[in-house]
Amino acid sequence: MPEYGDHESTEDPMHVLRHSTAHLLAAAVTELHPDAKYGIGPAVEDGFYYDFDFANPVSESELREIESRMRRIAQADRPFVHETMTRAQAVEEFRKRGQDYKLELIADKVEGDVVSVYRTGEFLDLCRGPHVRSTKELKAFKLQRLAGAYWRGDEKKKQLTRIYGTAWPTQKELDEYLKFLEEAEKRDHKKLGRELKLFQLDERTGQGLVIWLPDGATIRRTLERWIVDEELKRGYRHVITPHLAKLDLYRQSGHWELYHDTMYPPMRFDDGEELELRPMNCPHHILVFETELHSYRDLPLRIAELGQNYRLEKSGELMGMIRVRSFTLNDAHIFCTPDQVIGEVRGALELANYFLGVLGVDDFVYRLSVRDDVKTKWAGTDEEWESAEAMLKEALESLNLPYKVGVGEAAFYGPKIDFQVRDAMRREFTNNTVQVDYQLPKKFGLEYVSEDGSRQRPVMIHRGAFGAFERMTAYLIEHYAGAFPTWLHPVQVVVIPITDAQNDYAHRVSERLVARGLRVEVDSRSERMQRKIRDAQARKVPYMTIAGAREAEADHVNVRDRAGQQTDEALEDFAERVALEVAERRR
Ligand SMILES: [Zn+2]
Ligand SMILES: [Zn+2]
C-alpha cells in the first residue's frame, strides 16, 4: 500500500486519536480560512500537527479561535467517512477545493488508480486512515504553538505554517500532560543554561556552535577528567588528532559518499589540497592503528579520543545544546581479533553502564539495531552481518541486559547496540553505541600479524561510552534541574562572612576547602547576608557556609545545604565529608 505523505497507517488507538484530531484541526482551519491550503497532518509523539499555507499569516493569538471551532465541530458529532475514488475523481475533488499540495501528493505518492480519502463534513483529506468513528470521540485536545516548516522538509520549497497540538483520550490525561510540560519548561536546558551562566549560543559565532562559559566549562572539564582517567584505567590509549583531514581520507572511508549532505563543504586551496572538517573520528584512529605493524599480542588496541566533530545539521533542527553543529564525542575505536569481539563489546557495554550509572541516567533501553530487507542499503556480506549480530547478542545476553530489536536501525557497515535514553522532556535519543565493523578495516586494508605469522584483518569496534558532551550536559541540566551532584557542580561551597570583620576567616575557610580539592567561592560583596544566601540558592550551590564571629573563634562553620538542612561543624570535619562526597561522586 502506498503511503500518502506522512499519513502512515497504524492501528495504535492513541495514534488514531491524534491523527483524527489533526483532521479536525484542518477542518476547523478551512472553515475559518477557506483559502488556506493544507499539506500534511500526522500524529507525532504526544500529539499531532498540520501544515498550512495561509493566504494571510495567522498568529498564535488565533489558536484559541481555531480551537473553539474544533470543539464545535467535535460536538457536532460528524462521522469520519472513508471513501475510495479513482485518481481522476480525487484530482477533480482536490482541484475544486484548490488543494495544490494534495494534488502534488496524489501525483507523487499514489500508485494505481484507487485513491483513499476521508471525509468529515465538508472537509476532505487524502488519507488511508484509520480514524475514529466520529468527531465526538475527540474530547481532550489543545493547540500549542506555530512553527515554520518547509513543504516536504525541503528548504528550497515554500515555508508553511505548522500548527502543533496535543490530544488525549480524557481531560484528566490532557491536564496531567500540560502540568508535565509546565514542569519540564522549568528544567529546559536553554533556560537554565542562561540563568546559571553555563553556556551561550551567539549568532556571531554561527548557529549551533556552543560557547561554554566558565561554570559550564568546569562541569565539562570535570566530566572529561573522570572519563579519560577511567578509560586509561581500562586499557584505552588516548590520542589527540586534528579536527580536519584531507577530503580523500573521507572518500576512502566512504563517509563522504554517504554523509556529504551533513558534512561542511570542503576548503579548497590553490595547491589543490582539499580539507574537510571531520564529521567522525574513525579514519583518524585508523591512521593511528597504521603507524606500526601490529602483532596479535598488541590486540585489542583501544584508541580513544575526546574528538570534536562537525556536522552541518539543518538550521531548523538545531536545538540548544542537544542538536548542534559541532560537538565533542567520547569516542573510541577498538581494533581486535575476531575472537576478542564479544569480550570487547561486553567491556564497552560495562563502561557505558558505569558512566550512566554514576550520572543517574536510568531511563533507557538497549536496542540491538539490525539491518532490514533492503540489502542494497548495507555494506558487507550476509555472513559478516550474521556473525556480528550474533556476537552483539551474545554480549548483551551474557550481561543479562534486556533489549529490543530495531530493524533497519543498523549503521551501514554493521549492526550495533544503541542506548536509547529518554530525557526529562521524554525525548528519546541514541546516547551510546557499540558497533561491530568489518568494512572499514577492509577499505583501509588493515592487517595484523597473527600467531602463525600470517597477515590477518582486524575487526573494528566503534563505541561511544558516554556520548557527546554537549548533549549529555543538556541532559544533566534538565535531569537535575540545575542542582548538579556536588562532584559536578561548578561551585561546591560558597562561604558567606556575616560581616566584613569575618572576611579574613572566610578566606581561611576557603583556603582549607580548596586545599582539599574543592571548588569554593567567598561572597564578600557588601550585600546583606540574606541576599547572599538567596543568590547561592538560585545557583543551586550544594553548600553554603556562614562564617560569623562565633564560628571564627571556634574554627567552625555553620553549614546550610541545598535541601535546607543546617548544621554546625568543625571546619575540618566539614571539609572531610564534602571531599569524600566528591571523591565518591555521590548523587
Ligand atoms: Zn489522515
Ligand atoms: Zn567510528
Side-chain angles (χ1 to χ4, degrees):
M1 282 286 273
E3 299 286 348
Y4 301 155
D6 279 358
H7 277 58
E8 57 186 284
S9 177
T10 160
E11 305 287 327
D12 172 18
M14 211 62 140
H15 192 105
V16 170
L17 177 89
R18 288 169 179 156
H19 178 55
S20 300
T21 314
H23 277 227
L24 179 63
L25 164 62
V29 164
T30 48
E31 283 189 21
L32 294 166
H33 301 266
D35 51 2
K37 296 184 190 344
Y38 41 100
I40 54 164
V44 293
E45 180 147 30
D46 300 330
F48 59 89
Y49 67 76
Y50 217 118
D51 289 344
F52 300 98
D53 185 354
F54 288 103
N56 300 305
V58 297
S59 62
E60 297 257 349
S61 60
E62 271 178 73
L63 293 182
R64 296 292 79 83
E65 188 193 347
I66 298 171
E67 208 177 276
S68 54
R69 180 63 65 112
M70 286 168 74
R71 214 149 270 135
R72 209 191 306 163
I73 301 172
Q75 281 151 10
D77 195 7
R78 287 191 202 155
F80 281 87
V81 184
H82 184 213
E83 293 173 25
T84 52
M85 299 180 169
T86 64
R87 178 184 284 267
Q89 283 170 326
V91 166
E92 172 60 24
E93 283 288 337
F94 286 108
R95 184 165 288 150
K96 217 165 63 191
R97 289 171 162 80
Q99 293 303 331
D100 304 341
Y101 297 103
K102 295 293 167 183
L103 292 171
E104 187 182 323
L105 291 178
I106 293 173
D108 286 6
K109 298 276 180 182
V110 177
E111 290 164 17
D113 197 40
V114 182
V115 180
S116 166
V117 297
Y118 269 84
R119 204 185 282 278
T120 328
E122 286 295 297
F123 175 73
L124 186 74
D125 206 347
L126 177 68
C127 181
R128 294 173 51 215
H131 278 288
V132 296
R133 270 179 318 232
S134 156
T135 56
K136 214 178 172 182
E137 292 174 46
L138 308 174
K139 294 180 193 122
F141 51 82
K142 185 175 168 59
L143 297 182
Q144 293 166 294
R145 64 196 164 90
L146 297 175
Y150 293 104
W151 170 236
R152 300 177 88 171
D154 182 345
E155 293 186 40
K156 291 184 199 78
K157 297 208 158 102
K158 187 161 186 185
Q159 195 174 44
L160 308 181
T161 304
R162 177 168 294 178
I163 301 180
Y164 279 100
T166 183
W168 297 82
T170 63
Q171 188 64 37
K172 182 168 172 284
E173 283 160 281
L174 174 63
D175 289 345
E176 279 168 7
Y177 176 68
L178 295 175
K179 178 92 194 130
F180 155 76
L181 280 187
E182 211 177 287
E183 284 300 308
E185 227 162 87
K186 287 186 207 150
R187 292 172 177 261
D188 179 58
H189 78 280
K190 299 189 290 301
K191 178 176 168 285
L192 284 175
R194 211 168 30 243
E195 288 170 9
L196 300 172
K197 297 185 186 158
L198 300 176
F199 71 95
Q200 175 93 29
L201 291 161
D202 190 319
E203 281 295 319
R204 287 169 296 177
T205 36
Q207 296 181 72
L209 299 171
V210 178
I211 294 174
W212 295 75
L213 299 175
D215 280 354
T218 297
I219 294 176
R220 171 163 165 174
R221 193 169 51 252
T222 305
L223 291 167
E224 286 179 353
R225 287 175 176 166
W226 169 49
I227 287 164
V228 172
D229 287 349
E230 189 60 39
E231 288 183 338
L232 293 174
K233 257 192 259 172
R234 295 182 190 226
Y236 285 87
R237 316 288 306 278
H238 261 265
V239 296
I240 297 168
T241 63
H243 293 200
L244 10 70
K246 279 192 183 170
L247 185 56
D248 280 341
L249 187 65
Y250 289 104
R251 287 202 179 103
Q252 187 176 0
S253 68
H255 288 112
W256 177 248
E257 193 194 334
L258 275 155
Y259 299 114
H260 61 266
D261 283 349
T262 51
M263 287 169 72
Y264 276 79
M267 290 165 253
R268 298 202 160 92
F269 299 94
D270 288 345
D271 61 0
E273 192 170 68
E274 292 176 304
L275 286 179
E276 181 58 42
L277 282 168
R278 66 174 172 193
M280 294 182 187
N281 312 305
C282 336
H284 283 100
H285 292 181
I286 286 174
L287 300 187
V288 172
F289 178 84
E290 283 184 325
T291 50
E292 54 186 299
L293 177 62
H294 293 284
S295 106
Y296 69 96
R297 284 192 209 86
D298 302 334
L299 306 185
L301 193 63
R302 308 182 185 105
I303 305 297
E305 180 170 11
L306 304 181
Q308 182 107 12
N309 291 176
Y310 300 84
R311 293 187 198 166
L312 205 48
E313 301 284 354
K314 290 202 181 87
S315 59
E317 286 171 10
L318 298 173
M319 183 179 19
M321 283 215 290
I322 288 180
R323 262 192 108 104
V324 291
R325 286 184 170 168
S326 176
F327 53 88
T328 306
L329 274 186
N330 151 246
D331 202 6
H333 295 91
I334 302 169
F335 300 87
C336 64
T337 69
D339 292 349
Q340 293 168 333
V341 171
I342 294 172
E344 290 305 304
V345 170
R346 275 178 62 121
L349 292 174
E350 282 171 327
L351 180 60
N353 279 330
Y354 165 72
F355 286 145
L356 298 185
V358 170
L359 293 168
V361 182
D362 46 19
D363 192 2
F364 69 89
V365 293
Y366 303 97
R367 184 179 73 188
L368 177 62
S369 298
V370 299
R371 54 184 183 162
D372 58 21
D373 295 337
V374 192
K375 294 276 165 77
T376 49
K377 268 163 60 185
W378 318 101
T381 64
D382 284 346
E383 197 189 359
E384 287 166 341
W385 277 85
E386 280 152 24
S387 92
E389 206 178 303
M391 290 192 279
L392 290 176
K393 244 187 220 164
E394 190 175 335
L396 280 163
E397 282 162 10
S398 70
L399 292 169
N400 289 318
L401 302 176
Y403 61 91
K404 60 175 184 175
V405 176
V407 176
E409 304 283 353
F412 78 94
Y413 48 75
K416 58 190 175 120
I417 296 167
D418 295 317
F419 291 55
Q420 296 301 109
V421 178
R422 254 174 195 281
D423 63 16
M425 312 296 203
R426 295 191 196 149
R427 289 174 294 233
E428 183 180 308
F429 62 97
T430 300
N431 192 60
N432 317 66
T433 57
V434 183
Q435 319 179 353
V436 176
D437 178 6
Y438 294 101
Q439 306 312 320
L440 278 182
K442 237 189 267 176
K443 285 189 169 153
F444 283 84
L446 301 185
E447 288 180 336
Y448 66 93
V449 182
S450 74
E451 217 167 339
D452 64 14
S454 65
R455 300 288 175 95
Q456 298 293 331
R457 181 138 296 157
V459 183
M460 197 170 162
I461 297 169
H462 307 244
R463 79 64 310 201
F466 170 79
F469 284 89
E470 287 72 11
R471 176 157 224 159
M472 265 314 265
T473 304
Y475 174 96
L476 294 171
I477 293 171
E478 293 177 354
H479 186 72
Y480 290 110
F484 303 101
T486 306
W487 72 277
L488 261 187
H489 205 285
V491 182
Q492 293 161 329
V493 183
V494 167
V495 186
I496 301 174
I498 293 180
T499 69
D500 286 352
Q502 283 87 47
N503 277 352
D504 279 352
Y505 179 60
H507 283 284
R508 265 201 334 271
V509 169
S510 167
E511 277 163 29
R512 300 263 280 277
L513 297 173
V514 169
R516 302 298 295 257
L518 299 175
R519 296 186 287 269
V520 188
E521 276 181 19
V522 177
D523 189 348
S524 51
R525 293 176 300 164
S526 53
E527 294 283 353
R528 290 164 52 87
M529 188 179 74
Q530 286 314 320
R531 168 73 193 273
K532 294 180 183 180
I533 291 175
R534 270 204 314 278
D535 287 351
Q537 280 166 340
R539 292 169 75 193
K540 310 188 188 212
V541 172
Y543 296 103
M544 285 173 266
T545 61
I546 316 291
R550 233 166 356 115
E551 285 81 17
E553 186 77 23
D555 219 20
H556 268 218
V557 279
N558 182 284
V559 181
R560 293 179 191 216
D561 70 15
R562 235 171 353 202
Q565 294 265 43
Q566 278 195 53
T567 50
D568 179 80
E569 292 172 63
L571 175 55
E572 274 320 302
D573 293 347
F574 172 67
E576 174 76 30
R577 86 174 162 96
V578 180
L580 190 66
E581 183 190 346
V582 168
E584 292 181 348
R585 298 192 184 83
R586 275 187 227 149
R587 268 189 273 142

